[in-house]
């Protein structure tokens, strides 16, 4: 649970007044990479011994997985009784992103639950958007749901999410002014702090392009497709008739275009599978579950720089998640056959 130890070190740095972005922990020399607001949330972990910390993260993530299954069923309007939800939770543990999240002691499930809980509430619900803003304040990637809300005509919810995100930044600036200045003016742009973008752990378009070209810095070869994917993905998400498809499409778009999307970030495969089942596509759902269970990226050579020297036939094995993400963006296009006026009626009914 290396990431849980990083979170604990962040909490300790806040309480001790140490440089939040000047330390590394574990044998992999991992630094803090999240905004200062996240470090404030991690302060309670500083009082836990390592064994208790790991037990808490394990139990918490299993409970969050059960909640994610529940929220995914709610998003997909998929009726699941309690025994079925328990079985689905047990099966979801075998999904590689979920297992890796438990293994590293990550917060991916917490972020996905925050976002899904907020986005599956009725439009106009009190405070809708606050949880989206808080999730974005912890880890910037969820901010992609702000333009999604805006593009789907929910200006009030988008403004609420923006205000909540701004509040997290201001809270960090007030309580941790030096760390905030360091993060927003310097550390945010040091992408190398997060990790090597070409390794198979990175299941984004940049990782795919780097490995395919054998170039650790693929430049336009990845950011041009990323720009097209970002615009096209958000357009598709905004044109879908309801959040059942719009939310997974937005999440997949973010995972694809983010410079680094570690394999454990793809816990959004859980709601994606639920939506495919609700759409009456059991074979596609099963194929998707198989891809996210197979762990093919760990079967190819990936020690040292070997990730950059894979033969052509190993490339799909090294980049299964971005390939699935692009395929889903294409396969869900039939949902756009609903006219814009009908889509609005369905969304706001």
């Amino acid at each position: 649970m290396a990431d849980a130890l990083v979170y604990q070190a962040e909490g300790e740095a806040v309480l001790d007044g140490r440089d939040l972005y000047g330390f590394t922990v574990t044998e992999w020399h991992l630094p803090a990479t999240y905004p200062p607001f996240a470090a404030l949330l991690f302060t309670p972990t500083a009082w836990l011994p390592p064994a208790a910390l790991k037990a808490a993260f394990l139990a918490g993530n299993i409970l969050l997985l059960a909640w994610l299954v529940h929220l995914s069923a709610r998003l997909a309007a998929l009726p699941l009784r309690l025994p079925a939800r328990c079985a689905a939770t047990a099966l979801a543990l075998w999904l590689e992103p979920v297992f890796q999240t438990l293994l590293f002691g990550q917060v991916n499930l917490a972020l996905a639950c925050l976002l899904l809980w907020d986005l599956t509430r009725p439009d106009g619900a009190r405070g809708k958007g606050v949880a989206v803003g808080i999730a974005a304040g912890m880890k910037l990637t969820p901010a992609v749901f702000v333009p999604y809300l805006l593009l789907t005509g929910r200006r009030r919810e988008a403004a609420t999410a923006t205000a909540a995100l701004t509040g997290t930044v201001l809270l960090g600036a007030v309580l941790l002014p030096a760390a905030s200045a360091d993060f927003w003016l310097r550390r945010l742009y040091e992408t190398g702090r997060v990790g090597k973008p070409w390794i198979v752990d990175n299941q984004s378009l940049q990782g795919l392009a780097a490995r395919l070209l054998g170039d650790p810095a693929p430049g336009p070869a990845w950011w041009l497709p990323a720009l097209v994917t970002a615009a096209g993905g958000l357009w598709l998400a905004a044109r879908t008739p309801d959040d059942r498809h719009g939310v997974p499409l937005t999440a997949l778009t973010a995972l694809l275009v983010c410079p680094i999307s570690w394999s454990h970030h793809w816990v959004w495969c859980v709601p994606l599978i639920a939506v495919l089942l609700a759409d009456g596509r059991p074979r596609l759902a099963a194929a998707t579950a198989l891809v996210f269970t197979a762990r093919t990226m760990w079967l190819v050579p990936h020690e040292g720089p070997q990730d950059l020297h894979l033969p052509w036939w190993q490339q799909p094995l090294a980049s299964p998640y971005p390939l699935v993400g692009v395929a889903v963006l294409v396969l869900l296009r039939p949902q756009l056959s609903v006219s814009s006026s009908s889509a609005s009626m369905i969304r706001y009914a």
Side-chain angles (χ1 to χ4, degrees):
M1 294 192 179
D3 289 333
L5 297 176
V6 175
Y7 303 150
Q8 185 178 53
E10 291 184 39
E12 292 172 346
V14 170
L15 296 176
D16 297 340
R18 292 185 285 112
D19 183 1
L20 182 58
Y21 300 105
F23 68 82
T24 60
V25 294
T26 77
E27 62 185 282
W28 299 282
H29 306 290
L30 300 176
T33 58
Y34 293 176
F37 173 71
L40 293 172
L41 298 180
F42 295 143
T43 52
T45 65
W47 294 296
L48 294 175
L53 175 75
K54 294 178 181 181
F57 265 85
L58 180 60
N61 270 327
I62 290 175
L63 291 174
L64 285 168
L65 176 59
W67 192 26
L68 180 62
V69 169
H70 166 75
L71 292 172
S72 300
R74 186 165 82 177
L75 172 72
L78 191 65
L80 281 182
R81 295 186 177 182
L82 183 59
R85 290 181 185 181
C86 291
T89 301
L91 291 172
L93 287 168
W94 290 91
L95 297 168
E96 189 270 350
V98 173
F99 182 81
Q100 292 287 82
T101 292
L102 271 65
L103 183 67
F104 285 116
Q106 256 285 343
V107 294
N108 304 306
L109 292 170
L111 294 174
C113 286
L114 268 178
L115 291 164
L116 270 187
W117 171 78
D118 206 0
L119 294 167
T120 54
R121 294 196 297 151
D123 290 334
R126 179 178 297 180
K128 182 171 182 177
V130 170
V132 172
I134 291 174
M138 291 178 61
K139 194 172 183 177
L140 299 178
T141 310
V144 71
F145 284 99
V146 176
Y148 169 69
L149 289 171
L150 192 61
L151 289 170
T152 52
R154 289 170 283 190
R155 297 181 178 85
R156 175 181 170 184
E157 287 82 356
T160 301
T162 303
L165 171 57
T166 304
T168 67
V169 176
L170 293 176
L171 182 63
V174 170
L175 298 180
L176 300 171
S180 293
D182 190 17
F183 179 81
W184 295 109
L185 299 178
R186 179 186 172 193
R187 305 296 184 176
L188 178 61
Y189 312 101
E190 295 178 349
T191 54
R193 283 175 58 84
V194 182
K196 299 179 180 67
W198 67 85
I199 59 178
V200 295
D201 309 52
N202 182 20
Q203 292 290 304
S204 71
L205 288 177
Q206 179 175 212
L208 184 153
R211 292 186 292 272
L212 189 62
L213 299 175
D215 186 350
W222 91 266
W223 60 256
L224 282 176
L227 287 176
V228 173
T229 302
L234 283 174
W235 181 82
L236 287 170
R239 291 291 302 275
T240 53
D242 52 37
D243 284 333
R244 183 173 75 174
H245 300 99
V247 168
L249 286 174
T250 303
L252 292 180
T253 299
L255 290 166
L256 288 169
V257 305
C258 187
I260 292 182
S261 293
W262 302 132
S263 69
H264 52 75
H265 292 169
W266 286 77
V267 293
W268 285 92
C269 63
V270 176
L272 173 61
I273 292 169
V275 168
L276 292 175
L277 288 172
D279 282 349
R281 299 180 176 184
R283 292 182 179 179
L284 185 56
T288 302
L290 179 61
V291 169
F292 283 101
T293 307
R295 295 159 166 78
T296 58
M297 74 284 289
W298 307 120
L299 301 179
V300 301
H302 58 275
E303 297 294 333
Q306 289 182 316
D307 315 59
L308 290 173
H309 304 286
L310 298 174
W312 66 267
W313 62 271
Q314 289 182 349
Q315 293 293 338
L317 301 177
S319 305
Y321 299 171
L323 295 176
V324 167
V326 172
V328 167
L329 291 183
V330 174
L331 291 173
L332 287 187
R333 281 192 308 168
Q335 301 297 331
L336 301 181
S337 58
V338 180
S339 67
S340 298
S341 58
S342 299
S344 300
M345 292 175 63
I346 294 173
R347 185 183 301 280
Y348 295 107

